[in-house]
């Protein structure tokens, strides 16, 4: 599909990567790995034709369509969700216009024996085939399927995109890409704004995707479930592993051990050679030999091993004064938005020093309760805060409180204390702001960069209680490890809202599960909680919950239906079967005409073709109607 040949990128003479070569083939599911700053985003931009390499080239073999999802999007006002998603079919709309024009020419002209008329016949056959192959007759069904798969409801379809948060707009952008049926999909952190159900749906979609997928993600489980190949950017080179992320880590560690041993042997050789050079230089009859050894050393390509020891990053949260033993006491706390009761009757204690995880499906109230605890969101019942409680809160929309006019460094310095001011640059570096990046104005930062800056600011203030809502969304895997170490060493109280099992493992010591408007306390860490639920991860919990909810709304078995209901159900099934047979017949007749168009056809054939397409659309609508009726049973 495409070939990367001797690609290199450098800034002011310093290479980001060089002499990079690899192929992307149909069916590849590639995860890009590497430290932030290694060049993952740069490589994606080059593949997407958004920027150019300093050296080498990307060869697109034939007509290769590339779709690119970035973290920065800009919607035009005045479009609904449905209209924005429909923009994915611009190619189809163009083809439809050409089909309409060509059909009009065929109907009006009578010079059937001329070459120009034969050319029109050939054009309509090719256009119609292309329209059919691109799914031109199923666009509405495809838009509905993709939007609902990504979490939108029917009543969201005709709302303005400006009514939605940035995260939901990102879902619309993702929907457009999936609808375009590109040959290559480039995805930069596609799961950041998705709930568990949508992540599972996206995984299944990408597994069956006909083209190739290249993605950057901090979600290890998502990478493992989707990818079959990993490209690691390290030491200005790319290493190709035919494996998903977890297997790649194993293979990389094996390679790293061999590389470290080779580096050690090389260093010993260099040291020994340098000693010989010093020895031979002092002797006139050995001077030429010394020069020969010097040239030999100059030609040696030094082995580099990338430093990945996050233990050396000594980042710590600063504790405030010691609070009382009880941090929070909740008595029958509830929260409703209008008639929607998110949760009710929540009662528990949070003690000093506890590290707690809030888990459960999106929409069950995890973020809402975090806000009740952190900033006093209006609620029913009683919430009592303990003595000397000082709260640091990281929200998913934390970026809105940053000062647009300040630089990254100024914003961080304003958040620091006299004690932490000396560590400001180290903290910023840990969260991907290095070198000249600290001089950037907040106003030019992306949403992800703003969130990381807000997270860094928390490290610079003294708190004894931290409430954090999805803090890992915009961090790479190494930065997550740095944050996790800092939170482990935090001697205050921690409340985490997260779906990231790897992040919570070994960090949370107690779990609160949100389900069906209630909050259930579990004494133990994530592993114990999962073992208690007899599942392997949050995704299975979500799937189980969804299945339980579905069971509540369905009859237990067919025997519960009345005799009349069973008869009606069988009648609908028969209708569906007959309609499906009619659809197959219509599709076969359409295919016969399309084959006929490849040679020659009459004006009557064109009219029949249009009529058959209309009949097919009616039958498809009829089939959908019967299927909806069947769902009621």
């Amino acid at each position: 599909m495409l070939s990367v040949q001797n690609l290199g990128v450098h800034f002011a003479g310093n290479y980001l990567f060089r002499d990079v070569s690899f192929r992307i083939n149909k069916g590849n599911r590639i995860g890009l790995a590497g430290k932030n700053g290694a060049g993952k985003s740069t490589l994606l931009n080059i593949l997407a034709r958004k920027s150019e390499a300093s050296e080498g080239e990307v060869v697109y073999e034939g007509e290769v369509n590339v779709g690119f999802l970035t973290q920065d999007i800009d919607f035009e006002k005045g479009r609904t969700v449905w209209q924005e998603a429909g923009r994915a079919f611009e190619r189809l709309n163009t083809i439809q216009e050409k089909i309409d024009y060509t059909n009009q020419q065929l109907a009006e002209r009578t010079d059937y024996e001329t070459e120009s008329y034969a050319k029109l016949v050939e054009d309509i056959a090719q256009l119609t085939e292309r329209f059919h192959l691109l799914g031109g007759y199923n666009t509405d069904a495809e838009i509905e399927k993709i939007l609902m798969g990504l979490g939108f409801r029917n009543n969201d379809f005709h709302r303005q995109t400006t009514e939605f948060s940035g995260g939901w707009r990102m879902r619309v952008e993702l929907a457009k890409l999936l609808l375009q049926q590109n040959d290559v999909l480039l995805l930069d952190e596609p799961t950041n704004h998705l709930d568990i159900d949508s992540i599972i749906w996206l995984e299944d979609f990408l597994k069956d995707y006909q083209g190739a997928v290249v993605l950057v993600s901090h979600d290890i489980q998502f990478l493992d479930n989707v990818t079959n190949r990993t490209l690691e950017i390290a030491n200005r080179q790319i290493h190709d592993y035919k494996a998903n992320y977890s297997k790649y880590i194993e293979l990389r560690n094996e390679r790293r051990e061999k590389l470290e041993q080779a580096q050690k042997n090389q260093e010993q050789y260099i040291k020994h050679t340098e000693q010989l050079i010093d020895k031979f230089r002092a002797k006139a009859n050995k001077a030429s030999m010394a020069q020969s050894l010097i040239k030999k050393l100059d030609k040696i390509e030094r082995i580099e091993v990338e430093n990945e020891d996050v233990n050396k990053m000594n980042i710590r949260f600063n504790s405030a004064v010691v609070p009382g033993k009880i941090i929070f006491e909740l008595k029958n706390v509830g929260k409703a938005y209008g008639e929607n009761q998110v949760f009710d009757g929540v009662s528990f204690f949070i003690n000093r020093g506890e590290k707690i995880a809030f888990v459960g499906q999106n929409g069950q109230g995890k973020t809402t309760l975090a806000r009740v605890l952190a900033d006093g969101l209006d609620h029913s019942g009683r919430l009592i805060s303990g003595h000397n409680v000082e709260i640091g809160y990281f929200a998913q929309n934390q970026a809105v409180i940053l000062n647009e006019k300040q630089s990254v460094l100024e914003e961080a310095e304003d958040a620091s204390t006299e004690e932490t001011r000396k560590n400001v640059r180290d903290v910023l570096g840990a969260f991907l702001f290095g070198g000249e990046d600290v001089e950037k104005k907040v106003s030019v930062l992306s949403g992800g960069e703003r969130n990381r800056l807000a997270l860094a600011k928390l490290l610079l203030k003294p708190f004894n209680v931290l409430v954090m809502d999805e803090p890992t969304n915009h961090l790479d895997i190494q930065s997550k490890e740095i944050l996790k170490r800092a939170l482990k060493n935090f001697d205050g109280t921690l409340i985490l809202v997260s779906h990231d099992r790897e992040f919570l493992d070994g960090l949370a010591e107690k779990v609160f599960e949100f389900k069906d408007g209630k909050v259930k306390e579990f004494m133990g860490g994530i592993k114990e909680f999962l073992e208690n639920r007899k599942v392997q991860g949050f995704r299975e919990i979500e799937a189980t919950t969804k299945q339980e909810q579905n069971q509540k709304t369905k009859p237990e078995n067919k025997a519960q239906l009345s005799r009349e209901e069973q008869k009606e159900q069988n009648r609908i099934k028969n209708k569906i079967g007959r309609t499906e047979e009619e659809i197959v017949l219509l599709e076969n007749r359409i295919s016969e005409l399309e084959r006929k168009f490849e040679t020659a056809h009459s004006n009557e054939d064109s009219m029949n073709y249009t009529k058959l397409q209309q009949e097919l659309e009616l039958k498809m609508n009829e089939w959908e109607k019967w299927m909806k009726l069947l769902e009621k049973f």
Side-chain angles (χ1 to χ4, degrees), residues 365-378:
K366 303 185 300 296
T367 293
T368 301
L369 187 56
R371 287 187 59 197
V372 169
L373 297 175
D375 59 13
L377 180 68
D378 183 46

Side-chain angles (χ1 to χ4, degrees), residues 273-548:
T273 304
E274 288 174 340
Q275 289 173 345
L276 287 176
I277 291 170
D278 291 339
K279 182 179 178 180
F280 293 155
R281 271 177 177 162
K283 299 179 181 180
N285 62 343
K286 300 286 187 179
S288 60
M289 188 175 292
Q291 288 300 316
S292 176
L293 290 174
I294 289 171
K295 290 178 181 179
K296 194 173 182 180
L297 276 187
D298 289 340
K299 292 179 181 179
I300 290 178
E301 186 174 344
R302 306 299 171 104
I303 297 171
E304 296 181 43
V305 181
E306 197 168 43
N307 178 27
E308 297 182 339
D309 187 5
V310 299
N311 297 326
K312 294 180 181 178
M313 300 293 293
N314 189 24
I315 305 294
R316 299 181 66 91
F317 283 95
N318 294 277
S319 297
V321 295
V322 178
K325 184 177 179 181
I326 304 297
I327 301 299
F328 295 117
E329 180 182 357
L330 286 75
K331 295 183 178 180
N332 294 316
V333 171
K335 178 61 183 175
Y337 293 98
E339 297 181 358
N340 179 27
Q341 188 72 43
V342 182
F343 53 76
D344 196 20
V346 176
S347 300
F348 57 75
F349 291 91
I350 294 180
N351 298 313
R352 182 178 64 223
E354 288 187 318
K355 289 183 170 61
I356 295 167
F358 285 1
V359 304
Q361 281 185 313
N362 280 8
Q364 291 291 326
K366 303 185 300 296
T367 293
T368 301
L369 187 56
R371 287 187 59 197
V372 169
L373 297 175
D375 59 13
L377 180 68
D378 183 46
H379 60 276
S380 61
R382 189 178 180 195
L383 168 64
I384 304 170
S385 294
H387 180 62
N388 280 339
V389 169
E390 297 184 16
I391 302 171
Y393 179 41
F394 180 85
Q396 291 191 52
N397 63 343
Q398 192 74 25
V400 298
I401 65 172
L402 299 176
N403 187 337
E404 298 272 329
K405 297 179 180 179
Q406 296 209 107
S407 70
V408 169
L409 183 59
E410 289 168 341
E411 189 73 4
E413 286 178 338
D414 283 354
S416 66
T417 64
E418 185 177 345
E419 182 183 353
T420 62
R421 185 172 292 268
K422 60 182 181 293
N423 298 324
V424 166
R425 287 183 178 270
D426 288 339
V427 171
L428 289 174
F431 291 103
L432 322 181
F433 296 104
E436 296 178 358
D437 289 341
V438 300
E439 302 301 333
K440 284 183 179 179
K441 292 293 185 184
V442 171
S443 59
V444 304
L445 298 181
S446 67
E449 288 173 324
R450 290 172 181 242
N451 273 13
R452 294 199 299 271
L453 176 56
L455 189 57
K457 287 175 63 178
L458 275 182
L459 281 156
L460 297 166
K461 289 183 177 180
F463 301 109
N464 49 38
V465 177
L466 281 173
V467 181
M468 309 185 81
D469 190 358
E470 299 290 359
T472 64
N473 263 0
H474 296 281
L475 300 183
D476 69 350
I477 291 170
Q478 187 181 29
S479 296
K480 280 202 310 181
E481 293 177 18
I482 293 168
L483 175 61
K484 185 173 179 177
R485 283 181 56 81
L487 291 174
K488 274 187 174 182
N489 293 328
F490 178 56
D491 56 11
T493 305
L494 176 65
I495 299 168
L496 276 171
V497 179
S498 179
H499 289 300
D500 193 329
R501 184 184 70 181
E502 289 81 11
F503 184 69
L504 293 176
D505 188 16
L507 184 56
E509 300 159 349
K510 183 188 290 187
V511 176
F512 286 119
E513 182 184 11
F514 287 65
K515 182 179 177 183
D516 298 332
K518 302 296 179 185
V519 180
K520 183 179 179 181
E521 183 176 356
F522 179 85
M523 302 299 296
I526 294 301
K527 282 186 177 178
E528 292 82 5
F529 171 72
L530 297 178
E531 289 170 1
N532 181 264
R533 290 292 303 272
K534 296 182 180 179
V535 292
Q536 295 301 311
F538 289 133
R539 295 161 190 252
E540 295 181 41
I541 292 174
E542 305 295 354
T544 302
T545 303
K546 188 175 180 180
Q547 185 179 12
E548 290 171 355

Side-chain angles (χ1 to χ4, degrees), residues 112-113 117-122 124-125 592-603 605-606:
Y112 305 126
E113 305 302 324
Y117 192 89
K119 181 67 167 57
L120 287 175
V121 172
E122 182 182 345
I124 194 68
E592 289 174 5
L593 277 176
E594 289 175 347
R595 286 193 293 272
K596 189 175 181 182
F597 288 163
E598 294 177 3
T599 54
H601 75 291
S602 65
N603 194 33
D605 288 335
S606 296

